[in-house]
Amino acid sequence: LLVLLSMAVVLTIVLSVVARSVSDISLSSREENALRAFSAAEAGIEKALSQGASIISESIGAEGAIINATVSNFASGATNFVFPQDIISGDTATIWFVNHDDTGSLVCSAQYPCFTGSEMKVCWGEAGTPSNQATTPAVEVTVLYTTSPGDYSTMKIARTAIDPYTSRSPANNFSAPDAGTCTINGKTFQFQKTINFSSLGIGASVYNTQNGLQMTRIRMIYNSLSPQPVGVDSGVGILPTQGKKIESTGTSGESSRKVEVYRLFPDLPPIFDAAVFS
């Protein structure tokens, strides 16, 4: 009996050690595959950016990690979209009204249609953001347009600013937002304002003609502690492509990781706004 009991105890200890070792090996293997899959997904992003291919599918490395990456136009043919980056106070989001060709040059044509619309709705702020705090986000909306379509020597600027915090209005002279919240592509924003281009002094011959409206720059103000989202809704007007969306999935063993990157069109840094767009 003592021998049997001793053997049972030793067997239990041995089985516990073996089970723990197998579990550790399995966990290490999964972690290694997860890291390899994430590296493969990042490699797919780099390949898409450098090669410019719309679809990338290949195996890399000695372990045979698999890359699947796709490149698509961001917000192409849409009437609304959410800007892919949250904006901190002082930064801007640029929304293009003119299209870009494959070389990145501005163009308006049948193949690359540009925006023609009389108004747009600007939505900003996370749902539930209070409207009476010092860090309540306000926005400054700058619209660049040409009075003679495509002739940049006739470039002009229209600007408006909106602040939900009414106690600041006497000092900054900003207008108030529209009532209610705003939802774009399933995301709810706390504040909204419909901006009619004619109320900014832009003639109908400009916004009804392709290559008249050029872009709008939305600057966030006061939210110095946390970035806030922003989106636009053009109503019935079709917006041109705003950049490239790259989705890359890396697979290794049973692990799969996905990386999503937006490549927006080149733009001037916000620090130049006061000097260039004035």
Side-chain angles (χ1 to χ4, degrees), residues 26 31-32 35 39 47 59 93 103 122 125 134 136 141 144 160 165 207 230 248:
S26 176
E31 289 180 348
E32 185 178 346
L35 291 173
S39 297
K47 280 182 172 291
S59 177
T103 65
V122 178
T136 297
V141 180
L144 282 79
T160 185
Y165 191 12
Y207 57 74
V230 64
S248 177

Side-chain angles (χ1 to χ4, degrees), residues 3-273:
V3 172
L4 292 174
L5 287 174
S6 299
M7 291 178 63
V9 171
V10 172
L11 182 60
T12 301
I13 294 174
V14 170
L15 291 176
S16 175
V17 172
V18 171
R20 180 63 180 269
S21 299
V22 171
S23 176
D24 289 346
I25 292 173
S26 176
L27 182 60
S28 298
S29 178
R30 290 181 180 179
E31 289 180 348
E32 185 178 346
N33 282 333
L35 291 173
R36 191 177 293 119
F38 183 74
S39 297
E42 288 188 318
I45 294 292
E46 295 297 331
K47 280 182 172 291
L49 290 173
S50 62
Q51 297 178 5
S54 59
I55 298 177
I56 296 175
S57 182
E58 60 183 77
S59 177
I60 62 171
E63 296 80 7
I66 299 174
I67 294 174
N68 287 290
T70 58
V71 181
S72 58
N73 290 327
F74 172 52
S76 177
T79 59
N80 54 49
F81 77 97
V82 178
F83 196 73
Q85 301 169 348
D86 289 352
I87 307 299
I88 197 75
S89 178
D91 284 349
T92 60
T94 297
I95 291 85
W96 292 92
F97 295 139
V98 291
N99 224 319
H100 292 72
D101 62 16
D102 294 336
T103 65
S105 300
L106 300 181
V107 61
C108 291
S109 65
Q111 182 181 359
Y112 300 101
C114 296
F115 172 77
T116 55
S118 61
E119 63 181 24
M120 69 173 181
K121 181 190 294 184
V122 178
C123 306
W124 73 97
E126 289 285 358
T129 300
S131 61
N132 58 351
Q133 302 293 325
T135 55
T136 297
V139 292
E140 179 190 66
V141 180
T142 302
V143 180
L144 282 79
Y145 64 98
T146 56
T147 55
S148 179
D151 183 358
Y152 299 117
S153 66
T154 64
M155 183 77 74
K156 289 189 175 182
I157 290 177
R159 182 177 285 122
T160 185
I162 308 100
D163 190 355
Y165 191 12
T166 55
S167 296
R168 287 192 300 231
S169 299
N172 60 26
N173 204 30
F174 289 8
S175 62
D178 297 336
T181 59
C182 168
T183 301
I184 298 177
N185 296 333
K187 182 174 182 60
T188 300
F189 298 85
Q190 186 63 31
F191 312 111
Q192 63 169 328
K193 180 70 173 183
T194 298
I195 299 173
N196 191 289
F197 296 132
S198 63
S199 66
L200 298 181
I202 303 175
S205 60
V206 173
Y207 57 74
N208 284 333
T209 305
Q210 291 201 43
N211 217 354
L213 296 172
Q214 300 296 309
M215 70 169 111
T216 182
R217 291 170 65 87
I218 302 173
R219 176 189 288 270
M220 203 78 73
I221 307 174
Y222 297 122
N223 59 316
S224 56
L225 298 181
S226 61
Q228 292 282 357
V230 64
V232 295
D233 188 339
S234 62
V236 297
I238 303 299
L239 292 167
T241 299
Q242 301 296 316
K244 299 292 184 181
K245 178 181 178 181
I246 307 170
E247 296 176 291
S248 177
T249 301
T251 305
S252 178
E254 297 180 354
S255 297
S256 179
R257 294 292 184 269
K258 182 178 180 180
V259 177
E260 185 177 278
V261 169
Y262 291 90
R263 185 178 189 178
L264 304 178
F265 293 117
D267 193 12
L268 286 174
I271 194 173
F272 289 104
D273 280 4

